Amino acid sequence: MTSRPWSLHGEEGGVGSPAFVSEFGLWDDRQAAAAEQVEMRLDEVDLVRIAFCDPHGLARSKTVPADVFRAVLRNGMDFSAGPLIFDTGHAVAVDFLADTGVGVGELLGAGDFVLVPDPRTFQVLPGTEPRTAWVLGNEYLRDGTPHPLASRDVLRRVCAQYAKHDLAPVIGLEVEWYLTRLTGGPPGNAGNGFGRQGPAPAVEAVNPGYQFNLDGYYDSVADVADPLAATLIALGLPLRSMEHESGPGQLETTFGPMLALDAADAMLLFRTQVKRFCRRRGMHASFMTLPRLDGFDSSGWHLHQSVTSTKTGRNVFAANGNALDVMSPEGESYVAGLLSHARELCLPSVPTVNGYRRLAPEFSLSPTSVDWRFEDRTAMVRVLSGGSATHVENRVGESCANPYLSIAAQLYAGLEGLTAGTAPARTPYPALPGSLREALDAFGASGPAENLLGKPLKTCLTMLKESEVSRFEEWCAAERPATGEVTEWEHREYFGAY
């Protein structure tokens, strides 16, 4: 057996696998055309950050010089399997030294996979020095087959199922998050290690909060929020609004309708660039649901959804006429799918211990039961009607969820209802899980979860979440925190990373 020799910096064989994209036919015509445009733009940048979304919803990346990226674009880039086997606290959740039980042989020994840039996602990041671009990639095994643990591929498969019915799902993002000011505390390495996160970033609130949409409170953060908005616009994201929510420094950012895969890509880009932008200004942005900070309120991610006929361009949720509080039978069937799968597919939309703090009666605008109503923010599924703009808003998600898995799970459930043609049941649906442990049990027993994700990813995600929730339960058994309080463990685990 001969091995490929080391190549000089930047040469065709220097990274990835030579001609990996063309050998396995991994691009469609649109991607091939986009790649030619990207190559012409590489003289505009110094560095390129190549990223993918891990199962936890976190962006993992490598940064390469622009001349190296010329080879990466067509060869792919080798990435370690580490993000696929570590849980949220960097504990080893999947045994890579023996039979992992996941069904992906290349996890043994934590072997590399190949990340292939999707040239359609190439973005030059505004205001960076050195000049830096960002591009998302798709994960592949070394034989050119899609990686069974790739989140982005799950959503692509769901969208392909819609296409078989001449349908296209449309998504709008409504995201709540926290802006805080860094106070120069320790870097967080003390006590850190595999499965042990050190202290969370030391921060202070930027305003008192609890004056909903108060212009003065928005103005108190406008020196950060306004230029951030301009950056999001420069990135080509369809920004609709920036507004102050309830908690101290709690902001809500909303975006216009996008096709589903574009929306998930936008969510990942948005979160990473918000954190980058704020960090460079002495601030800390967090998409953790409920930080352990005085007076903080819970944040959520409301996912707006509709479905368009690709034959007619019609919104299939819209009823005839412009009457309020009415939607089409197809729209009601879609809602029935969301409700019937709400419990067993809750995990992809609420994937952390902390996320279930929000699904509690004390947070009056957060869902606590599986239900739907027109124009009612206390329901899990709020229906906004009005002719061609009719759509549903699922209010269950947390802002740090994996965008590909969360959107895919809701679209899968909606399509199941839509194709079955059933109306929402009059009898109560099973309740939403009250904890990550409860959600994990429902997810593990779910056949639809395996249909959605495939057996390897369902198995891997179950292992990752079992490790996370077990570490939390062990900590609680030792520390005995007060019932109902956000724990120090949660704040260390999520506030910095998310």
Side-chain angles (χ1 to χ4, degrees), residues 164-226:
K164 289 181 180 179
H165 296 278
D166 299 313
L167 299 171
V170 177
I171 297 295
L173 307 176
E174 180 182 334
V175 190
E176 296 167 351
W177 56 282
Y178 269 102
L179 178 68
T180 58
R181 183 176 292 107
L182 291 166
T183 58
N189 59 301
N192 205 356
F194 288 89
R196 299 190 311 276
Q197 295 294 294
V203 302
E204 63 183 11
V206 294
N207 59 41
Y210 297 99
Q211 289 289 345
F212 184 74
N213 281 172
L214 184 67
D215 181 74
Y217 280 1
Y218 181 83
D219 196 60
S220 73
V221 298
D223 58 336
V224 176
D226 284 353

Side-chain angles (χ1 to χ4, degrees), residues 176 289 297-300 302 355-369 371 377-380 395-397 432:
E176 296 167 351
T289 293
D297 193 13
S298 64
S299 295
H302 306 154
Y356 292 87
R357 302 286 183 190
R358 174 173 165 265
L359 306 183
E362 59 263 32
F363 297 109
S364 58
L365 294 182
S366 299
T368 57
S369 59
D371 54 5
R377 284 185 167 86
T378 67
M380 189 191 94
R395 300 174 60 82
V396 77
L432 287 169

Side-chain angles (χ1 to χ4, degrees), residues 454-497:
K455 186 175 181 179
L457 182 52
K458 181 189 176 187
T459 302
C460 181
L461 191 59
T462 299
M463 290 179 173
L464 295 172
K465 291 293 145 184
E466 176 62 39
S467 176
E468 178 183 341
V469 74
S470 293
R471 287 190 298 104
F472 174 68
E473 290 168 347
E474 291 169 6
W475 184 90
C476 288
E479 299 294 330
R480 300 185 181 279
T483 301
E485 72 170 17
V486 177
T487 63
E488 178 189 353
W489 185 97
E490 294 165 73
H491 197 63
R492 291 199 319 262
E493 187 87 1
Y494 305 122
F495 187 61

Side-chain angles (χ1 to χ4, degrees), residues 434-445:
S435 67
L436 180 57
R437 168 60 71 192
E438 194 176 336
L440 182 58
D441 290 344
F443 176 82

Side-chain angles (χ1 to χ4, degrees), residues 20 24 106 140-146:
F20 188 78
F24 296 109
E106 293 189 19
Y140 290 91
L141 299 178
R142 293 190 297 276
D143 64 3
T145 57

Side-chain angles (χ1 to χ4, degrees), residues 264-283:
D265 289 345
M267 183 68 167
L268 188 66
L269 178 65
F270 164 67
R271 290 193 313 216
T272 56
Q273 295 313 303
V274 166
K275 291 181 78 70
R276 176 191 70 83
F277 186 95
C278 294
R279 187 184 307 113
R280 282 159 174 73
R281 287 157 178 78
M283 313 295 282

